[in-house]
DNA sequence: CCAGGAAAGATCCTATAGGATCTACGAAGC
DNA sequence: GCTTCGTAGATCCTATAGGATCTTTCCTGG
């Protein structure tokens, strides 16, 4: 009698993987600023590895759209989204995340519903500094991932996560502060998923994303 | 007075990019069979390059899900989809491609609409051999990409193309032969896009995909 | 002062070599 | 006969070196 999966999946890793994680974080946190050129040798020295695994990590990041490659001229960090690209991203979010909310409401496990409710009830102690904003952003990303995960569709979750990488990139430049409203919208989504009501969950998500789009779009009017 | 983009974007490429294209084709055409181990050195010799660019290409393919990596133990070609994964993929196709059809109907240029109609009217001379089936599959992929492109959303098109890679992988193993019906469904979609009717375009796509799913799913009942 | 061109420097890309790890095969023990 | 262990071979991963390309700077000419 063998147990299904009692052992953690055993996470070994190669240098290339570690460099990948490090670089991905650096891009998302703007340690590597958008638009900047990426010097492979300099990065290798900085991380104390050879250029080979750095190059491998960059190849993966390019496939995710976080960096861009110009043959024989090196990599650059992807620039911030234009207004049109940002609008396109929110069209996609509306498409994917509304479906995720719907499916989560009908397919999530009890544990997933409970966690969603718990996490959406968390309140980040309000403040006005950078650290607080980073924490709030992280919570938001976590909540949306919980919904994507609860939808029980690996492909959907993966697609949503790709979008959120670019959203995160944008957010660090243009923070907004209406967090109270955002929290309320999150709780509405969680409640609908908890209740197992697909229609309500979807419309709650749609309302949330529509408003979020408006909150973000003002950043382009300057 | 500067012209918008009269010059082709100048396609230089590095060895890593060429290896990537070659390997991608090899995986999609099952020259590298699903599930098989990928010997980096052997591939390098086969392509007459060093292992370095091969490794870079594999890193990108892994990000697309076409190969899988086990640290310190090499890469394997992704296995064929299970029934559950296949069903998930079609759920995603319904979500993404129906939206693509809708947007294409309202946003496509005249040239795009015309090309869609023209291409959907093409008839692949019927036969029963492998070459004919490959040609039919290629046409189908091309048509769906035309719709995705006409939707004028780079993110949506990219997501759809990722799905189609896995669809293509599956198709080569389980061909089906009801091409006459498929052609008819394609023409219905094209007509709706041409007419600029989003609702009809979406429902035509939905009907097409729903039927296609049924045509494919029988492959799992053996 | 500005445009055009050439050379020097920096950077990228690929190949090769060596250490580390995994896999497969065969022998020893129960 | 089956399991366990150890070794040999194959394979992977990383570092380094050198050729090729791009970028920047400086100089010349107008």
């Amino acid at each position: 009698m063998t147990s299904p999966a009692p052992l953690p999946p055993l996470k070994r890793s190669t240098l290339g993987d570690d460099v990948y994680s490090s670089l991905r974080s650096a891009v998302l946190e703007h340690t590597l600023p958008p638009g900047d050129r990426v010097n492979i040798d300099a990065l290798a020295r900085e991380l104390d590895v050879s250029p080979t695994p750095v190059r491998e990590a960059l190849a993966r990041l390019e496939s995710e759209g976080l960096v861009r490659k110009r043959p024989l001229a090196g990599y650059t960090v992807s620039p911030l989204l234009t207004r049109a690209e940002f609008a396109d991203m929110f069209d996609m979010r509306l498409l994917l995340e509304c479906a995720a909310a719907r499916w989560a409401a009908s397919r999530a496990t009890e544990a997933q519903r409970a966690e969603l409710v718990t996490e959406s009830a968390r309140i980040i102690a309000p403040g006005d500094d950078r650290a607080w904003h980073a924490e709030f952003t992280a919570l938001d990303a976590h909540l949306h991932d919980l919904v994507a995960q609860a939808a029980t569709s690996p492909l959907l979750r993966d697609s949503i996560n790709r979008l959120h990488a670019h959203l995160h990139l944008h957010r660090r430049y243009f923070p907004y502060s209406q967090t109270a409203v955002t929290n309320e919208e999150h709780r509405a989504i969680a409640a609908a998923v908890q209740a197992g009501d697909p229609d309500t969950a979807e419309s709650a998500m749609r309302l949330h994303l529509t408003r979020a789009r408006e909150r973000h779009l003002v950043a382009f009017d300057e």
Side-chain angles (χ1 to χ4, degrees), chain A:
Chain A
M1 176 145 169
T2 61
S3 33
L7 304 174
L10 176 53
K11 291 211 172 180
R12 312 208 39 181
S13 79
T14 137
L15 257 189
D17 292 333
D18 295 341
V19 173
Y20 166 77
S21 306
S22 175
L23 256 56
R24 182 182 159 87
S25 300
V27 171
L28 291 182
E29 300 307 319
H30 294 293
T31 306
L32 294 174
D36 268 30
R37 293 203 47 179
V38 176
N39 189 320
I40 296 180
D41 291 336
L43 271 181
R45 282 192 299 273
E46 174 81 16
L47 296 173
D48 197 39
V49 296
S50 80
T52 309
V54 174
R55 171 172 298 284
E56 185 176 326
L58 286 172
R60 291 171 59 180
L61 288 173
E62 191 210 3
S63 178
E64 297 180 25
L66 291 179
V67 302
R68 294 182 181 181
K69 176 185 184 180
R70 203 168 34 141
L72 303 182
Y75 291 88
T76 58
V77 180
S78 294
L80 287 183
L81 276 52
T82 64
R83 188 190 182 93
E85 289 169 337
F86 191 83
D88 185 27
M89 188 190 70
F90 259 85
D91 285 343
M92 283 293 285
R93 285 193 75 189
L94 277 165
L95 188 61
L96 296 176
E97 299 207 44
C98 288
R102 163 172 290 277
W103 293 352
S106 62
R107 309 203 290 216
T109 66
E110 278 310 313
Q112 287 171 326
R113 297 173 204 267
E115 186 178 6
L116 188 55
V117 170
T118 304
E119 290 295 286
S120 67
R122 273 178 53 193
I123 298 294
I124 304 297
D128 210 21
D129 54 345
R130 181 173 293 264
W132 163 75
H133 186 264
E135 199 174 351
F136 176 79
T137 298
L139 175 60
D140 180 79
H142 180 53
L143 285 172
H144 282 270
D145 183 54
L146 281 180
V147 175
Q149 190 173 2
T152 323
S153 164
L155 291 171
L156 179 58
R157 188 185 179 194
D158 185 60
S159 293
I160 290 176
N161 282 337
R162 279 178 195 279
L163 291 182
H164 274 261
H166 290 277
L167 173 65
H168 189 268
L169 222 72
H170 175 88
R171 267 190 172 166
R172 278 193 70 80
Y173 258 99
F174 307 109
Y176 68 86
S177 50
Q178 311 175 37
T179 61
V181 188
T182 303
N183 283 330
E184 196 55 49
E185 291 165 6
H186 282 161
R187 280 191 290 274
I189 297 169
V193 171
Q194 168 80 309
D197 183 343
D199 289 335
T200 305
E202 178 174 348
S203 59
M205 179 65 83
R206 186 177 310 280
L207 180 64
H208 171 50
L209 291 177
T210 304
R211 287 183 178 169
R213 169 161 60 185
E214 290 168 7
R215 289 193 286 264
H216 281 294
L217 272 181
V218 299
F220 291 97
D221 303 328
E222 327 190 309

